[in-house]
Amino acid sequence: MSIRIALSKGRIFDETAPLLKAAGIIASEDPETSRKLIIGTGRTGVSIIIVRASDVPTYVQYGAADLGIAGKDVLLEHGGGGLYQPLDLGIAKCRMMVAVQNGFDYEGAVRRGARLRVATKYLKTAREHFAAKGVHVDLIKLYGSMELAPLVGLADAIVDLVSSGNTLRANNLQAVEEIMPISARLIVNQAALKLKRQAIQPMLDAFAGAVAKGGT
Ligand code: PRT
Ligand code: MG
């Protein structure tokens, strides 16, 4: 029985490696240096595919991968259809925030009922957040470097992930509202879980054990 795991390079792969190891899975190559998109592991029948962070749920939804690891930010935008989400891994933690340029009176604008221009990669999350607050927004879809938008007059505010806060500080921005805490989740294809339970369940148990031991 073969099992394919979808991961993204960078922080997700780095922070997942110890959890994979706890499940007896060690990548044969480092995705940062290898150009391979399908990487073998020390375990027969288990391979890792390297995809963009925001594509992980898609590969798992369609069964091209049996399991994957994706941030809650990515899962909210994807919608989660066809996915079983058994475990919060407590890794790649950050916060989804609203941020504005220093000096911009966000509270005042909200109180006045002003219409705000908000730039973000997270349209769904942003739309739901401002709708729940009753704030009128024009959302502008970006694919990255959201921090630039308020500085050049593209938007009044951004919705983005913040971890250390260094990127906001370096760009004269400040967080004005937390939308939600974010961490990475294990996702499993629903059909694969039924058909390959014998192979997948022990992995889920090993991940859960490693997460509990990690004290997250
Ligand atoms: O890079 P690519 O476009 O392929 O995709 P991606 O940026 O979504 O992937 P990646 O690998 O950067 O992030 C994968 C996952 O890590 C995200 O989906 C989040 O769940 C999680 N994560 C945790 C973060 C951060 N922390 C984070 N700080 N993802 C992005 N950031 C960015 C943030 O967008 C901002 O630009 O880092 C910057 C802020 O960091 P600080 O430390 O300066 O506050
Ligand atoms: Mg990135």
Side-chain angles (χ1 to χ4, degrees):
M1 202 182 300
S2 77
I3 298 290
R4 213 175 280 144
I5 305 171
L7 296 176
S8 53
K9 283 199 269 196
R11 68 187 107 218
I12 296 278
F13 184 88
D14 297 345
E15 297 192 35
T16 298
L19 298 174
L20 289 174
K21 199 174 163 198
I25 300 163
I26 295 172
S28 316
E29 285 178 69
D30 177 357
E32 296 303 334
T33 52
S34 169
R35 285 169 192 268
K36 283 193 182 174
L37 298 175
I38 304 180
I39 295 180
T41 71
R43 255 175 74 173
T44 313
V46 179
S47 57
I48 295 170
I49 61 171
I50 301 297
V51 304
R52 283 291 287 263
S54 46
D55 290 334
V56 168
T58 308
Y59 279 87
V60 177
Q61 171 187 13
Y62 288 98
D66 302 295
L67 327 180
I69 292 169
K72 187 179 178 188
D73 50 318
V74 164
L75 289 168
L76 288 172
E77 292 300 310
H78 171 271
L83 303 176
Y84 172 57
Q85 300 185 27
L87 195 58
D88 181 347
L89 298 171
I91 58 169
K93 281 186 177 174
C94 56
R95 295 182 294 161
M96 183 77 74
M97 307 281 274
V98 180
V100 298
Q101 206 168 356
N102 285 322
F104 180 84
D105 182 12
Y106 175 73
E107 284 305 324
V110 167
R111 236 180 294 117
R112 287 197 310 277
R115 201 173 178 92
L116 289 174
R117 293 224 298 183
V118 179
T120 188
K121 172 161 134 181
Y122 308 101
L123 286 184
K124 231 178 178 174
T125 305
R127 189 177 301 118
E128 281 166 25
H129 172 71
F130 291 110
K133 275 177 67 88
V135 175
H136 294 289
V137 290
D138 292 316
L139 294 175
I140 300 173
K141 166 82 181 183
L142 291 178
Y143 292 89
S145 302
M146 270 81 82
E147 293 89 354
L148 179 63
L151 307 181
V152 295
L154 179 63
D156 303 308
I158 60 170
V159 167
D160 194 9
L161 301 175
V162 178
S163 42
S164 67
N166 288 338
T167 308
L168 292 183
R169 272 191 293 279
N171 290 292
N172 191 38
L173 302 172
Q174 58 174 341
V176 286
E177 200 160 68
E178 172 163 341
I179 299 181
M180 68 180 81
I182 299 287
S183 56
R185 322 269 152 139
L186 186 64
I187 58 176
V188 186
N189 176 273
Q190 285 175 350
L193 184 62
K194 292 199 192 93
L195 298 170
K196 302 184 183 178
R197 181 140 226 155
Q198 252 184 303
I200 292 177
Q201 191 62 51
M203 287 184 191
L204 300 191
D205 295 342
F207 285 136
V211 169
K213 236 168 80 190
T216 46

